[in-house]
């Protein structure tokens, strides 16, 4: 992956096992977000491929990548301000709905059924993330940590098989991070979703990841169990600097 | 529990009962139907014009208010609809009730051709592109090659259609009633569209295009389809206007009419369905009465009225209604606590 003359990601290759949590860490500018954007199709990589369950995602349109089962959240939130919390979550269920323009205009039975399903799914997710009270509230009236939960619920409404979370712990308090850790583990254990976690919050990543991939200056410098990565000399140098 | 809810609420699903939701549309349709027999010819013509503009503005609301694509050249689709009607009725002898939907279709075709390149444009550039279209189209109508079809610079009269005399209606009543029925159907269709899954998708595209794509929404396809639907509606509006007036010329469709439509949309409320009716009534009635009150400075009066409306209701008429309703609901819930 290149931007102008700068190679942001260079020969980075890693695999995430189905139904596991993989942490992607690295110092600022290591290429975490670039890597993230390559997977979700925000950037087209100049070389290399991304595959999900054996299916090529490289070169696919963003909406098609989402339809193929890749869900994501955004570091700085990208909710829909003209809608309520409930409607935001319902947009997440778009892919599972049926009916085009004409069918929707005539509200055909299939469209009604599909709408009821999306609503039921949204309702269950609102409950799960403790958002029932604010379901009818507009986005701009709610605090940041609540909105982070809305984004998570919205991403889940689309039944993703791979969920990539961009710094989900950013801006949260200690207790909220603990709660988030539980929620992410539930995604793996109960929903069977594969999670790719891009995080600064080392504690969170080390605690819940099954595997950790470390990037630095666009290269992979470590890949393995959290305990191993923690003591890896290359990682320690990257984070703490070179003593020489 | 109630007190913990935040202050800002908007209606999303099922907050209001079915009867309550149907009350305003039903009232409007009943009143509209009654007007068929209450108004004389001239006033009925104005009422038909209002309906035509309301459908045209509905198209603009769908495009700009719900999908965030600003078109300042909606008059081009109005013209397309008008000319299609004129040509089909005069040349092919098509009855007006077939010519009007056909007007929507040709307008939609034009919309589709414009949408493919225009859809990639950012807000302001899209506005400029649609502006160019609105300026160019009347020029084509005046063109000598096309003049035998369009009527050229002088314009052309449209053959007066047959009234539905079996129903005891005269010509004005026939056209008005047809326009009313068409409007009811189209408003219902658009309401269904925007209140469901696709409506949410359209608004998601307006709010956060990137996030919308992440929700598996094909933004490009939806934007093109919305553009087409909008062009269809405005084309039908143009067709109704042309049939009602019975005369068409390039001067009917100057750039001014595009701006007037935009004013009507904003005053009615961009993100609304029924607001279009109010907006249309405003742009037809205010200039008409302004002319009576202050001969010669009518447009100044229209401008002043527009500014006053914007100041009184910044979210348009529909926004004002929503705020009033929320206010009443809050009063009721407070008194019941």
């Amino acid at each position: 992956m290149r931007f102008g003359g700068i190679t942001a990601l260079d020969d980075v290759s890693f695999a995430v096992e189905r139904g596991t949590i993989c942490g992607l860490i690295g110092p600022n500018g290591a290429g975490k977000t670039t890597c993230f954007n390559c997977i979700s199709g925000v950037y087209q990589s100049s070389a290399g491929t991304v595959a999900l369950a054996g299916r090529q995602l490289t070169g696919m349109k963003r909406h098609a990548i989402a339809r193929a089962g890749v869900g994501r959240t955004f570091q700085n939130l990208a909710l829909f301000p003209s809608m309520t919390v409930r409607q935001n979550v319902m947009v997440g269920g778009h892919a599972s709905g049926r009916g085009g323009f004409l069918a929707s205009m005539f509200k055909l039975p299939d469209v009604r059924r599909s709408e009821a399903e999306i609503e039921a799914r949204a309702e269950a997710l609102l409950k799960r993330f403790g958002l029932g009270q604010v379901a009818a509230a507009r986005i701009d009236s709610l605090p940041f940590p609540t909105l982070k939960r809305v984004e998570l619920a919205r991403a889940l409404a689309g039944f993703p098989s791979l969920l990539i979370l961009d710094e989900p712990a950013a801006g949260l308090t200690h207790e909220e991070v603990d709660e988030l850790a539980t929620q992410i583990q539930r995604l793996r254990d109960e929903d069977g979703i594969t999670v790719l976690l891009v995080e600064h919050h080392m504690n969170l990543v080390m605690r819940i990841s099954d595997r950790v991939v470390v990037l630095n200056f666009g290269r992979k410098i470590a890949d393995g169990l959290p305990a191993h990565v923690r003591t890896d000399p290359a990682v320690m140098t990257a984070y703490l600097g070179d003593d020489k | 529990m109630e007190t913990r809810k935040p202050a800002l609420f908007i209606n999303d699903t099922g907050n209001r009962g079915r009867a309550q939701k149907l009350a305003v549309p039903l009232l409007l349709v009943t009143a509209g139907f009654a007007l068929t027999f209450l108004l004389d010819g001239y006033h009925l013509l104005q009422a038909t014009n209002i309906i035509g503009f309301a459908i045209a503005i509905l198209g603009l609301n769908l495009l700009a208010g719900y999908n965030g694509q600003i078109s300042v050249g909606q008059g081009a689709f109005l013209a397309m609809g008008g000319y299609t009607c004129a040509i089909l009725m005069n040349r092919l002898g098509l009855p007006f009730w077939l010519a009007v939907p056909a007007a929507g279709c040709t307008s939609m075709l034009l919309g589709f051709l414009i949408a493919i390149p225009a859809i990639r444009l950012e807000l302001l550039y899209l506005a400029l592109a649609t502006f160019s279209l609105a300026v160019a189209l009347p020029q084509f109508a005046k063109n000598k090659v096309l003049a035998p079809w369009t009527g050229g610079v002088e314009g052309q009269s449209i053959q007066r259609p047959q009234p539905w005399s079996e129903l005891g209606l005269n010509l004005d009543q026939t056209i008005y009633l047809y326009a009313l029925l068409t409007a009811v159907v189209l408003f219902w269709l658009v309401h269904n569209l925007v209140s469901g899954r696709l409506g949410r998708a359209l608004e998601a595209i307006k709010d956060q295009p990137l996030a919308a794509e992440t929700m598996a929404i094909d933004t490009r396809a939806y934007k093109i389809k919305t553009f087409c639907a909008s062009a269809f509606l405005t084309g039908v509006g143009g067709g109704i206007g042309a049939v009602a007036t019975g005369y068409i010329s390039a001067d009917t469709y100057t750039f001014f009419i595009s701006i007037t439509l935009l004013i009507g949309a904003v005053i009615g409320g961009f993100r609304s369905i029924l607001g279009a009716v109010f907006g249309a009534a405003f742009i037809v009635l205010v200039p008409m009465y302004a002319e009576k009150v202050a001969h010669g400075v009518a447009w100044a009066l229209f401008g002043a009225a527009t500014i006053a409306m914007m100041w009184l209701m910044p979210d348009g008429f529909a926004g004002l209604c929503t705020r009033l309703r929320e206010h009443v609901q809050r009063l009721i819930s407070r008194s019941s606590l």
Side-chain angles (χ1 to χ4, degrees):
Chain A
M1 180 69 213
R2 289 191 177 78
F3 293 106
I6 297 166
T7 306
L9 278 182
D10 186 8
D11 198 21
V12 172
S13 167
F14 63 93
V16 183
E17 193 121 351
R18 188 192 299 265
T20 62
I21 298 172
C22 176
L24 183 63
I25 59 169
N28 275 330
K32 299 187 298 288
T33 301
T34 308
C35 180
F36 193 114
N37 284 332
C38 283
I39 299 171
S40 58
V42 175
Y43 303 147
Q44 293 290 346
S45 53
S46 35
T49 57
V50 179
L52 176 72
R55 188 171 167 199
Q56 274 295 344
L57 298 184
T58 324
M60 272 167 79
K61 293 251 169 59
R62 282 192 283 274
H63 64 88
I65 291 177
R67 201 170 270 275
V70 180
R72 72 166 287 186
T73 62
F74 293 81
Q75 192 177 336
N76 300 315
L77 297 175
L79 290 162
F80 308 119
S82 57
M83 295 181 226
T84 63
V85 168
R86 181 186 284 113
Q87 287 170 328
N88 265 276
V89 177
M90 285 172 81
V91 174
H94 183 82
S96 62
R98 291 178 299 273
F101 262 63
L102 279 178
S104 299
M105 282 180 166
F106 287 98
K107 255 193 176 168
L108 298 182
D110 204 32
V111 171
R112 284 170 200 264
R113 265 198 302 278
S114 141
E115 182 76 358
E117 283 164 21
I118 292 174
E119 209 179 332
R121 169 82 174 154
E123 223 50 61
L125 284 167
L126 289 171
K127 217 172 149 193
R128 173 167 166 184
F129 288 94
L131 296 166
Q133 282 285 320
V134 294
R138 233 198 278 259
I139 291 304
D140 48 19
S141 64
L142 297 170
F144 186 74
T146 311
L147 297 179
K148 284 230 143 185
R149 297 210 302 273
V150 177
E151 259 214 342
L152 199 52
R154 184 181 69 176
L156 280 179
F159 297 98
S161 54
L162 170 69
L163 185 59
I164 39 185
L165 306 173
D166 197 358
E167 309 224 353
L172 299 186
T173 65
H174 257 300
E175 294 76 39
E176 285 159 354
V177 171
D178 284 342
E179 201 191 305
L180 176 71
T182 320
Q183 290 285 8
I184 297 176
Q185 281 169 325
R186 266 187 77 183
L187 296 179
R188 174 191 58 190
D189 302 336
E190 290 174 25
D191 306 75
I193 294 173
T194 311
V195 180
L196 179 63
L197 183 62
V198 177
E199 250 309 338
H200 261 314
H201 200 288
M202 279 299 233
N203 180 306
L204 175 72
V205 174
M206 291 302 175
R207 192 155 34 129
I208 63 170
S209 301
D210 298 303
R211 237 180 91 203
V212 176
V213 173
V214 190
L215 297 182
N216 195 24
F217 295 120
R219 286 173 175 278
K220 187 169 88 170
I221 56 168
D223 183 352
L225 295 173
H228 292 165
V229 167
R230 205 197 302 261
T231 53
D232 190 298
V235 176
M236 291 176 75
T237 314
Y239 269 88
L240 302 172
D242 208 335
D243 284 341
K244 271 178 259 176
Chain B
M1 290 297 253
E2 282 295 310
T3 49
R4 287 195 53 203
K5 285 185 179 176
L8 237 174
F9 268 82
I10 49 180
N11 274 311
D12 54 351
T13 51
N15 277 2
R16 281 183 294 158
R18 202 182 164 80
Q20 216 183 336
K21 268 185 204 161
L22 277 172
V24 175
L26 270 180
L27 203 72
L28 268 177
V29 174
T30 316
F33 184 72
L35 286 183
T36 320
F37 308 100
L38 294 176
L39 294 180
D40 60 58
Y42 173 72
H43 287 107
L44 207 54
L45 172 69
Q46 295 305 332
T48 313
N49 264 327
I50 290 177
I51 294 176
F53 277 125
I55 297 172
I57 291 173
L58 180 69
L60 192 51
N61 282 357
L62 179 65
L63 185 70
Y66 287 91
N67 200 207
Q69 305 188 68
I70 297 283
S71 162
V72 294
Q74 210 66 4
F77 301 117
L78 210 65
M80 194 68 189
Y83 277 110
T84 304
C85 261
I87 292 167
L88 288 180
M89 288 169 69
N90 286 352
R91 288 297 186 106
L92 302 176
L94 224 62
F96 77 99
W97 51 271
L98 274 180
V100 168
C105 292
T106 54
S107 194
M108 181 160 74
L109 188 69
L110 178 68
F112 178 70
L113 295 176
I114 299 301
I116 289 176
I119 230 74
R120 298 168 182 276
L121 300 175
E122 297 286 329
L123 205 64
L124 274 177
Y125 299 98
L126 178 64
L128 280 181
T130 47
F131 164 79
S132 323
L133 179 70
V135 176
L137 211 70
Q139 294 276 306
F140 280 118
K142 285 184 184 174
N143 186 289
K144 280 208 176 74
V145 181
L146 292 172
W149 295 83
T150 60
V153 183
E154 301 89 50
Q156 62 178 317
S157 302
I158 299 172
Q159 236 171 46
R160 300 314 282 156
Q162 289 294 314
W164 296 339
S165 34
E166 309 84 37
L167 302 174
L169 300 170
N170 65 32
L171 182 59
D172 291 321
Q173 289 172 328
T174 305
I175 297 174
Y176 171 79
L177 211 55
Y178 170 79
L180 183 68
L181 289 176
T182 310
V184 169
V185 171
L186 292 177
F187 273 73
W188 178 72
L189 292 178
V190 175
H191 167 79
N192 284 347
L193 181 72
V194 300
S195 61
R197 168 173 158 269
L198 286 196
R200 287 191 300 272
L202 296 187
E203 289 208 79
I205 293 168
K206 176 189 70 180
D207 283 0
Q208 287 278 2
L210 185 62
E213 288 185 321
T214 313
M215 308 291 118
I217 294 166
D218 186 348
T219 53
R220 193 174 130 78
Y222 279 2
K223 280 167 95 171
I224 291 177
K225 286 178 185 171
T226 310
F227 211 96
C228 290
S230 166
F232 178 87
L233 290 166
T234 306
V236 167
I240 286 175
V243 172
T245 316
Y247 171 80
I248 190 170
S249 86
D251 295 330
T252 318
Y253 302 110
T254 56
F255 179 60
F256 190 69
I257 201 140
S258 296
I259 294 300
T260 312
L261 283 179
L262 212 54
I263 291 174
V266 171
I267 286 199
F270 244 164
R271 190 182 168 273
S272 78
I273 300 293
L274 287 179
V277 180
F278 185 86
F282 183 87
I283 60 172
V284 172
L285 296 180
V286 172
M288 197 171 89
Y289 285 105
E291 188 62 44
K292 275 183 193 158
V293 176
H295 191 72
V297 287
W299 287 110
L301 212 60
F302 178 71
T306 305
I307 293 169
M309 289 301 230
M310 296 313 300
W311 183 67
L312 287 171
M313 30 189 223
D315 305 323
F317 182 67
L320 183 75
C321 292
T322 312
R323 249 182 298 153
L324 281 177
R325 197 173 55 223
E326 280 171 358
H327 189 66
V328 169
Q329 276 174 349
R330 217 168 296 153
L331 282 181
I332 292 170
S333 68
R334 204 172 293 164
S335 63
S336 66
L337 273 177

